[in-house]
Amino acid sequence: MTSQGFLDTHLLSILIFAPLAAAAVSAVLRSEQAQRIWALVATTALAALSIGLWCRFDASTHAFQFVENYSWIPSLKINYAVGLDGISVLLVLLTTLITPLCVLASWTYIKKRVKEFMIALLVMEAAMVGVFSALDTVLFFTFWEAMLIPMSLMIGVWGGPRRIYASLKFFIYTMAGSIFLLVSIIAIRLQTGSFGIQEAMGHPFSHGFQLWIFAAFFLSFAIKVPMFPFHTWLPAAHVEAPTAGSVILASVLLKMGTYGFLRFCLPMAPYATQVLAPYIIWASVIAVIYGGFTALAQGDMKKLVAYSSVAHMGFAVMGIFSLNQQGLEGATLVMINHGITTGALFIMVGILYERLHTRELDKLAGLGAKIPVFTGFFGVFCLSSLAFPGTNSFVGEFLVLAGGFKASPWAVVCVVPGVIAAAAYMYRVLQKFAYGSAENPEHHEVADLSLREIITLAPLLFGVFWVGLHPQPLLNVMKVSLAHVLEQAQRHL
Amino acid sequence: MSPVLLATLVLLVPLASATVIALFLRRQGALASTVSVVAAALIATISGYLIFGGHRFTGSMEWLTLGTFSLRLGIKFDDLAALMLFVVSFVGFFIHVFSLGYMHDDKARARFFGGLSVFMFSMLGIVLADNLFMIFIFWELVGFSSYLLINHYHERQSAADASKKAFIVNRVGDFGFLIGIVWCYWANGTVDLSVLAEKSTVGALVFSTGIPLALFCGALGKSAQMPLHVWLPDAMEGPTPVSALIHAATMVAAGIYMLCRIQVLMVPDALTVIMWTGTVTALYAALCAITQRDIKKVLAYSTLSQLGYMVAAFGLGALSVGHATHKGVIAGALTAGAAAAMFHLATHAFFKALLFLGSGSVIHGCHHEQDIFKMGGLKGRMPLTFATFTIGVLAIIGMPYLAGLFSKDAILYLAYNNNSAVFAILATTAVLTSFYMVRMWKITFLGEARSHESEHAHESGISMTLPLVVLAVLSIVGGYGLVFRHLGGSLTDAIPVAHGSDHTVIFAVSLAVMLVGAGSAWFFYKPSADDRLEKGAPGLFTLLASKLWIDEAYLWYVAKVQQRFALVMNFLEQIFIAGLIVRGAAGLVGLVGIGARALHTGRAPAYAYWFLIGLVVLGAYALKVF
C-alpha cells in the first residue's frame, strides 16, 4: 500500500469529489466560453482518470475493489464506504465517459445561465458516480437524493415550454420511490445492525421480511427504470429536458433502477426474488410491447426515443429476472448499450432541434438527403436501436432472449410484437428522414454536422461497433460479479 | 494460402469493396462500379479455386463466451456450401457485369454498386457460416442490403413502401428463426452445424417439433413462402439486376439452403408442415402469375412458385422410406428431398437469373416500359435477348434436355413416390408454369410492336448480352449429372432419379404437362394489346387477379389493427395512465389537503370540539366498545 500514491488509493473518492471541486471553480469563472471550456476540460480529465479504473480492475474476483471506508456518523454507525465490483465499474465508466459528451452537446444548445448549467452537470456527475460506488445504504440514499436536485433544475430551468410541470412530475415520482427506499434501508438496519450494503447482501432475512423489503425496493427502482405503469414521468421529462439532461436521464439515471435490482433486490431478498421473478418477467414483456407500440404512434422524435427507452429497459428487467447467467449478462449489456445508443439518439434529435426548432417527424421528412454525414450517423444509431446484428444492442438483446427463453419460453414468444414494433418505428423514422421526398423550403439552409458534433458522436459510434463486434472484454469484467449476484439470488429455497 | 484463409478472403473482399465505396466513392459512380465488379470477379476466382480444387474444410474461432454458453464464428465448407457458393459467386459475378450496362446512366450508381457489395458480403456469410447464430447475423444483413437495394429508386413512393414491407415481413420471420436458435441451443447445448450433425450420428440429438418449425419461420420470410410471401412481388420495385441476384437466384433461396443445413433437426411433423407450405405456395403463386401484366411481376410470382417447389421437395424428405422412419436415418448425408431441392435451387438460379436479366435487357431496350401488352415484336429487334430468353423459358417449363427438366423431374418423382396429393398439385403447377411462361414470352416478343417504346427497342450492349449467353449455357448444361457433379459433389448421388417404369411415367407426365400448358397458352393468347383472358372470362380473371386478397388482409391488419393498437396504447397512455391515474392521484392528494385545511379554522372552540371527539373515541376504544 505504501508504494501506491494518493491517486491510486483514493481514485474513487477523487472521481466523486473532483466534479464538486470543478463546480466550485466554475462558480468563479466569468465568461460563458470559459465556463464551457472549463467544464469540458474537467469532465474529460475525469473520464481519463476513470480509465484507470478499467485498467486496474481485477475481473477475476467478485470482491469490491478500490474500497475506501471511513466512519462518517459514528453514533449511527453510518460510514463513508465506497467500492466497485464488475457491475458498478462499468456503470461508473459509462457515467464518466458520457458526461464530457453532454458538455459538448450543450455547447451551443444552452444559451442562458451557462455557469449554472455547467455546475448542475458537474454536481450531477458527482452524485451519479457516488450512487454507483456507495457501499453504505445511507450514503447510497444521500447520493440518490442528491441527484434529484440538479436534474430537476436542468429540466425546470433549461427545459422546453412545459418544463415546470415535467420537472415537478419527475421530482414527485422519484421522491415517492425514495420514501420506500428509505423505509427499507432503516428496516434492514434494524435487522442487521448495520447500514453496510455488503452486510445486508447475503444476510438471512426471514421470508416475510424479504417480501416486504423487496416490494419497497422494487417500487422505488421500478419508478426509476421506469417500468410500466410507473413510466409516465419519463416522456414528459425527456421531451422538456435539454439535450444534456435527456442524455443523462437515459444513459445513466435509468440504469440506477436496474442497478438497484442487481445490488439490492437479488442479493438481499433471494426468496422474494425467486417467488416474484416470473411475474416481473411478464411485467417486462408488457413494458416491451407497450413501449414499442406507443413509440409507433409518436410524431415527436424525442417522445419516440423516450418510449423506445421504456421498451429497451423492459429487456434489461427481463434479463435480470430470468435469474441465469445469460440473462444477467445480457441485461447489464443492455443497460450499457442503451446508454450508448439512446444517448446518441437524443444528442442527434437535439442537433436537429437546434437547427430547425422542431422535432416533428413530418417536418423533418426528406432532410436526410441534405445532410449526409448526419444521416450516416443517424442510420447507424437507428439500426443499433432496433438491435441489428453487428451493433451493440444485438448482443445484449440476444443474451437477454437466450436467458429469458430458459426462464420462460412463452414470455420470449410474447415479446415478438414488441420487437416487430421496434423495427416498424425505427424504420419509419429512418425512411421518412432519409428518403422522404417532400421538398421543404426550411431545409435549404440546414448545415451538416460540425466538427464539434462529430467529436461528440464519434465515441458513441465507436461504442456501438466495439460492443457489437467484440463484446468479450465487457463480458469478462462483469462475469464474475454477476455470477456472484446470481449465486446469492439462488440460495435458500 | 490455406483454404480457410481463402474462404475468409472471399468474405472480406466484398466488405472491403463496400467500405471503400461508402467512404470514398459515393460520388464516383464509374469508379465505384469498377471496384464492385472487380471484387465480384475476385470472389468468383477464389471460389472457383475452392470449389473445383476439391477443398472441403471447417474452421472457427470463439466470439464470446459466458460460462458454458459460447458463440463462435466459423466457416463450414462442405459440398452443400460449395454448390451454394458457386451459385452466389458466379451468378453474382455475371449479374454484376450485367449491371455495368443496365445501371450505366443511373445517378446513384455508386450507392447501387456499394449495395451489391454489401449484399455479396452478407450472402457469402450465410453460405460459409458454420453455426446458426452466425447464419442469423448474416441473415439480417442480407435483409438489410435487400432493403437498401429495393429502395434504390426511393423517390418513388411504391419503392419506399415495398422496401418497408420487405424489411418488416422478414423481421417477423427472423424473430421466429431467432427463437428457434435459442431453443435449439437450450435443447442441444450447441448451434454449431457440425456438432449437431455429430450428435445426430450417435443419437444424442434432442428432437422437438417446435425447433425446426421455429427455424422454418426464417425460411418462410426469406424464401417468401405463404403467408409471408407478400413482400417478394413488391420487391420488384428494385432495379432489375437486383431482382435477378437477390430476389430470384440467391437470397430468396437462402431459406432452402438453411433448411438443408439444419436437416438433422427435422422431425416428421415438421416436414409435413414444410411440405404443404411449399406445395400450397407453388400452386398459389402459379395462379397469381397468370394475370400479371408487368414482365417482372410474372417472373416474381414464378420465382415464388419455384421456391415453393424447392420447399415442398425438402419437406418430402427421404425417398420411399416414408416419414415415419425418417428420424435418425439421415444422419450426416442429405435426404433425397434436400438434394432435389438444392438441385432445383441451382438450376433455377441459372434460368431465373437468365430470365430476369433478359427482362432487364427488354426493359432497358424499351426505355423502362415493363407492361408486356405494350411490347411485342421484340424478336427481330433484340435477337440475342430473344434467343437466350427463349432458352430460359424452355428450361423453366421443363423442355427435355434442358436443365429445368432434370431438377423438376427429381422433385416430381419424389412426390410421386411419397405423396400422391402433393404430386398432383405439383404437376398442376407445372401445367400453369408452362402456361404463364409461354403467355409472357409470346406477348412480349412475337407479333407487332404495340407501343412507341417497343418500336424503338434496341439490342443491349455487350456487358448485358454476355451474361445472358453464359447463363443460357448454364441453363442448358447445368442439369446434366456430368456437369452438376463438379458443382454439387456428393450431393449428386442423393438426388432421386427414376428408373424403369417409374422413369417412363415421370417423363411422360412432365412432357404432357409441359405440352398442355405451353400448347394452350400458344393457342389462347395472341400478341395483342389486351389480355384475352380478361375479355373472355372476366370472373375468373378477377378472382385470379385478386390474389385471394392476401395483400388486402395485411393492409387491413396494419391500418386497422396495428396502427389502431398503437393509437389505443397512446390513448391509454395519455388519458388513462397520465390522465386518470396520475392526475387522479394528484387530485386525491389535493382533496385530502383541502379537507385537512378545512379543519384548521384557527378558532379555539372548533379545536376544543375536535379534542372532545377524540377523547370520546379513545375512551370508547380503551373500554373496548368496538
Side-chain angles (χ1 to χ4, degrees):
Chain A
M1 284 297 275
T2 46
S3 65
Q4 289 176 318
F6 178 80
L7 193 74
D8 287 319
T9 46
H10 297 84
L11 188 50
L12 209 42
S13 288
I14 291 171
L15 285 177
I16 295 171
F17 290 106
L20 296 178
V25 174
S26 283
V28 298
L29 288 177
R30 286 290 167 82
S31 94
E32 291 191 344
Q33 199 60 20
Q35 293 286 349
R36 295 187 183 108
I37 292 169
W38 168 244
L40 181 64
V41 168
T43 51
T44 312
L46 286 168
L49 261 183
S50 68
I51 299 290
L53 295 175
W54 171 265
C55 297
R56 291 175 38 211
F57 186 79
D58 175 10
S60 62
T61 169
H62 63 77
F64 286 93
Q65 299 168 40
F66 313 106
V67 174
E68 289 171 56
N69 198 342
Y70 311 104
S71 187
W72 180 19
I73 308 177
S75 55
L76 293 172
K77 288 193 204 156
I78 296 172
N79 295 328
Y80 171 82
V82 290
L84 296 175
D85 68 351
I87 309 164
S88 44
V89 73
L90 293 175
L91 293 168
V92 167
L93 279 167
L94 180 67
T95 310
T96 53
L97 295 179
I98 215 118
T99 315
L101 305 183
C102 290
V103 175
L104 280 172
S106 312
W107 209 260
T108 50
Y109 190 94
I110 300 299
K111 292 195 173 65
K112 62 167 187 178
R113 293 179 182 274
V114 178
K115 178 199 280 185
E116 286 81 354
F117 185 84
M118 293 305 170
I119 291 175
L121 199 62
L122 286 163
V123 172
M124 193 73 204
E125 181 176 13
M128 292 187 298
V129 175
V131 165
F132 290 129
S133 34
L135 288 181
D136 182 279
T137 46
V138 175
L139 189 65
F140 177 87
F141 186 75
T142 312
F143 285 127
W144 178 275
E145 294 294 287
M147 245 163 28
L148 260 177
I149 297 154
M151 193 68 227
S152 304
L153 287 176
M154 268 195 213
I155 302 172
V157 177
W158 293 273
R162 296 179 68 216
R163 54 184 182 267
I164 304 297
Y165 169 76
S167 167
L168 192 67
K169 199 168 175 181
F170 167 75
F171 199 87
I172 290 177
Y173 258 94
T174 323
M175 273 305 272
S178 305
I179 309 268
F180 293 97
L181 187 62
L182 186 60
V183 168
S184 30
I185 285 173
I186 295 168
I188 287 177
R189 163 75 165 84
L190 296 176
Q191 289 268 325
T192 63
S194 158
F195 279 120
I197 287 181
Q198 282 168 291
E199 284 80 358
M201 284 159 81
H203 188 276
F205 298 110
S206 73
H207 286 182
F209 183 78
Q210 284 191 25
L211 285 173
W212 280 108
I213 58 164
F214 185 94
F217 278 137
F218 184 81
L219 198 63
S220 56
F221 296 138
I223 289 174
K224 205 84 179 179
V225 167
M227 281 182 74
F228 175 88
F230 307 113
H231 64 276
T232 58
W233 65 270
L234 183 79
H238 269 316
V239 170
E240 301 307 323
T243 300
S246 289
V247 174
I248 296 245
L249 257 181
S251 298
V252 186
L253 252 58
L254 306 192
K255 309 310 173 306
M256 293 184 178
T258 39
Y259 172 74
F261 291 147
L262 288 170
R263 184 64 82 229
F264 291 85
C265 291
L266 267 62
M268 296 184 194
Y271 166 76
T273 302
Q274 287 170 49
V275 171
L276 297 170
Y279 305 102
I280 299 172
I281 287 185
W282 281 103
S284 62
V285 171
I286 294 175
V288 173
I289 294 176
Y290 185 88
F293 276 92
T294 316
L296 197 55
Q298 305 305 322
D300 181 316
M301 297 240 284
K302 215 169 177 185
K303 249 185 173 166
L304 188 146
V305 180
Y307 280 107
S308 80
S309 279
V310 175
H312 283 137
M313 293 310 284
F315 267 110
V317 174
M318 180 183 219
I320 290 172
F321 288 95
S322 301
L323 297 180
N324 52 44
Q325 189 73 16
Q326 290 77 30
L328 286 181
E329 295 200 12
T332 314
L333 218 47
V334 167
M335 285 154 67
I336 294 162
N337 292 338
H338 179 259
I340 297 171
T341 306
T342 311
L345 284 173
F346 276 127
I347 292 176
M348 301 214 81
V349 175
I351 290 172
L352 286 179
Y353 188 75
E354 259 188 276
R355 298 211 187 343
L356 285 161
H357 301 286
T358 181
R359 291 185 297 252
E360 284 300 317
L361 192 49
D362 288 332
K363 293 190 184 147
L364 298 169
L367 181 59
K370 306 245 162 38
I371 45 177
V373 181
F374 181 97
T375 312
F377 275 96
F378 191 64
V380 172
F381 292 125
C382 281
L383 286 177
S384 160
S385 180
L386 61 83
F388 196 74
T391 66
N392 53 350
S393 310
F394 173 70
V395 189
E397 284 190 20
F398 178 79
L399 289 174
V400 166
L401 291 175
F405 192 85
K406 199 176 182 189
S408 169
W410 286 111
V412 170
V413 173
C414 290
V415 119
V416 174
V419 178
I420 308 294
Y425 65 69
M426 271 306 158
Y427 175 87
R428 196 180 113 232
V429 170
L430 200 54
Q431 177 79 17
K432 238 184 175 160
F433 181 76
Y435 295 124
S437 52
E439 185 61 28
N440 192 331
E442 283 174 23
H443 293 171
H444 286 313
E445 303 285 299
V446 177
D448 208 335
L449 290 184
S450 68
L451 184 64
R452 173 183 58 81
E453 288 159 338
I454 291 176
I455 293 171
T456 315
L457 292 165
L460 297 165
L461 192 77
F462 171 76
V464 164
F465 288 114
W466 183 55
V467 182
L469 299 174
H470 190 50
Q472 196 65 45
L474 281 180
L475 293 172
N476 285 342
V477 168
M478 65 176 81
K479 185 182 292 177
V480 181
S481 300
L482 285 171
H484 182 64
V485 168
L486 189 61
E487 203 178 295
Q488 289 185 316
Q490 284 173 335
R491 77 207 137 96
H492 315 300
L493 204 86
Chain B
M1 271 205 276
S2 77
V4 180
L5 216 59
L6 284 174
T8 316
L9 202 61
V10 166
L11 204 52
L12 293 182
V13 165
L15 182 63
S17 150
T19 314
V20 167
I21 293 173
L23 291 181
F24 308 113
L25 303 177
R26 280 191 307 259
R27 307 206 188 288
Q28 271 108 351
L31 205 53
S33 53
T34 317
V35 168
S36 184
V37 173
V38 167
L42 207 57
I43 296 165
T45 316
I46 306 174
S47 305
Y49 172 72
L50 288 172
I51 298 163
F52 303 115
H55 299 282
R56 302 291 181 265
F57 54 86
T58 57
S60 69
M61 59 167 207
E62 204 131 85
W63 186 46
L64 59 91
T65 39
L66 323 171
T68 54
F69 187 94
S70 86
L71 295 172
R72 305 179 68 83
L73 296 180
I75 291 174
K76 180 183 168 80
F77 194 68
D78 53 359
D79 285 348
L80 182 62
L83 174 61
M84 197 70 191
L85 183 63
F86 177 82
V87 171
V88 174
S89 57
F90 281 82
V91 176
F93 169 66
F94 288 112
I95 292 172
H96 272 78
V97 173
F98 183 89
S99 308
L100 279 178
Y102 189 83
M103 302 300 285
H104 189 260
D105 303 324
D106 197 284
K107 281 196 207 82
R109 208 157 29 135
R111 193 178 66 214
F112 174 83
F113 278 97
L116 278 190
S117 285
V118 176
F119 171 77
M120 288 302 273
F121 165 66
S122 15
M123 189 65 212
L124 290 165
I126 294 181
V127 174
L128 296 171
D130 80 331
N131 67 70
L132 286 173
F133 181 74
M134 196 177 152
I135 291 185
F136 182 80
I137 291 180
F138 286 103
W139 196 261
E140 290 279 295
L141 278 171
V142 276
F144 180 68
S145 46
S146 151
Y147 154 72
L148 280 182
L149 289 166
I150 297 171
N151 209 3
H152 184 76
Y153 303 120
H154 59 77
E155 57 284 356
R156 280 208 307 248
Q157 187 58 37
S158 54
D161 290 344
S163 66
K164 175 178 176 178
K165 199 167 174 182
F167 193 73
I168 292 173
V169 170
N170 269 298
R171 190 93 188 160
V172 174
D174 292 352
F175 204 78
F177 190 22
L178 189 61
I179 288 179
I181 294 172
V182 172
W183 195 344
C184 175
Y185 189 87
W186 290 125
N188 289 306
T190 182
V191 289
D192 190 289
L193 297 167
S194 307
V195 179
L196 284 174
E198 273 167 38
K199 282 198 168 205
S200 93
T201 30
V202 295
L205 213 54
V206 178
F207 289 97
S208 159
T209 315
I211 299 174
L213 284 183
L215 294 171
F216 178 58
C217 284
L220 216 57
K222 202 112 295 175
S223 289
Q225 296 297 293
M226 284 180 86
L228 298 183
H229 65 278
V230 285
W231 68 271
L232 186 57
D234 292 19
M236 295 302 127
E237 290 292 340
T240 310
V242 168
S243 311
L245 178 61
I246 303 185
H247 307 117
T250 58
M251 184 188 84
V252 287
I256 286 100
Y257 177 72
M258 185 269 280
L259 285 178
C260 295
R261 278 294 199 204
I262 54 153
Q263 187 194 234
V264 287
L265 293 168
M266 287 295 158
V267 295
D269 287 346
L271 281 175
T272 311
V273 173
I274 292 171
M275 176 184 76
W276 281 111
T277 309
T279 311
V280 171
T281 307
L283 180 65
Y284 167 81
L287 286 169
C288 292
I290 292 172
T291 58
Q292 299 303 316
R293 300 174 65 96
D294 182 328
I295 186 166
K296 284 180 75 184
K297 284 276 169 76
V298 179
L299 291 173
Y301 279 104
S302 160
T303 306
L304 273 181
S305 175
Q306 297 299 311
L307 289 168
Y309 247 81
M310 297 172 213
V311 171
F314 180 84
L316 283 165
L319 186 66
S320 62
V321 187
H323 290 160
T325 55
H326 178 81
K327 194 196 282 184
V329 175
I330 35 83
L334 286 179
T335 57
M342 285 307 295
F343 187 25
H344 197 56
L345 185 158
T347 59
H348 175 257
F350 304 147
F351 60 68
K352 190 53 68 66
L354 168 62
L355 288 169
F356 262 113
L357 292 187
S359 78
S361 179
V362 166
I363 293 166
H364 193 71
C366 293
H367 311 284
H368 292 272
E369 178 56 68
Q370 297 191 194
D371 188 339
I372 53 175
F373 290 100
K374 292 188 183 149
M375 293 173 180
L378 297 179
K379 183 178 144 197
R381 292 186 186 84
M382 307 178 75
L384 202 55
T385 304
F386 172 69
T388 50
F389 199 89
T390 310
I391 292 171
V393 170
L394 292 176
I396 194 174
I397 67 176
M399 183 71 160
Y401 310 114
L402 267 65
L405 176 85
F406 296 101
S407 54
K408 190 182 272 187
D409 275 9
I411 296 174
L412 284 177
Y413 171 58
L414 192 63
Y416 178 69
N417 234 296
N418 287 6
N419 191 318
S420 40
V422 171
F423 175 71
I425 296 175
L426 290 184
T428 314
T429 308
V431 177
L432 295 171
T433 305
S434 18
F435 184 77
Y436 67 69
M437 286 311 291
V438 170
R439 161 186 181 265
M440 176 188 72
W441 172 79
K442 190 173 177 188
I443 293 171
T444 308
F445 286 100
L446 304 187
E448 289 302 309
R450 289 183 299 277
S451 69
H452 179 72
E453 279 77 18
S454 59
E455 265 170 40
H456 293 81
H458 56 86
E459 183 59 285
S460 307
I462 177 80
S463 70
M464 290 167 72
T465 47
L466 179 74
L468 292 178
V469 173
V470 175
L471 287 168
V473 171
L474 279 172
S475 302
I476 297 171
V477 301
Y480 289 93
L482 204 64
V483 177
F484 191 71
R485 188 169 292 279
H486 287 292
L487 313 177
S490 61
L491 225 72
T492 323
D493 304 318
I495 296 169
V497 183
H499 294 286
S501 62
D502 281 351
H503 181 257
T504 323
V505 172
I506 294 298
F507 191 73
V509 167
S510 82
L511 207 60
V513 294
M514 182 195 85
L515 289 175
V516 170
S520 43
W522 178 262
F523 291 111
F524 186 72
Y525 287 103
K526 299 276 173 285
S528 63
D530 36 38
D531 196 325
R532 195 168 160 210
L533 189 67
E534 196 177 5
K535 289 263 148 72
L540 180 67
F541 185 87
T542 314
L543 180 70
L544 289 176
S546 74
K547 294 173 267 169
L548 297 181
W549 297 279
I550 293 178
D551 272 304
E552 282 71 15
Y554 275 104
L555 281 179
W556 180 83
Y557 167 78
V558 170
K560 300 282 153 102
V561 181
Q562 183 182 304
Q563 202 56 38
R564 282 192 190 176
F565 186 65
L567 289 176
V568 165
M569 281 294 185
N570 196 31
F571 178 78
L572 207 73
E573 170 80 19
Q574 304 303 335
I575 305 302
F576 190 68
I577 296 181
L580 213 61
I581 296 189
V582 175
R583 295 270 166 103
L588 203 66
V589 172
L591 272 179
V592 172
I594 291 169
R597 199 157 51 192
L599 297 180
H600 297 79
T601 54
R603 286 169 46 229
Y607 292 123
Y609 286 128
W610 284 117
F611 173 70
L612 275 176
I613 292 170
L615 207 60
V616 170
V617 171
L618 273 177
Y621 182 74
L623 296 169
K624 295 193 168 49
V625 175
F626 52 88

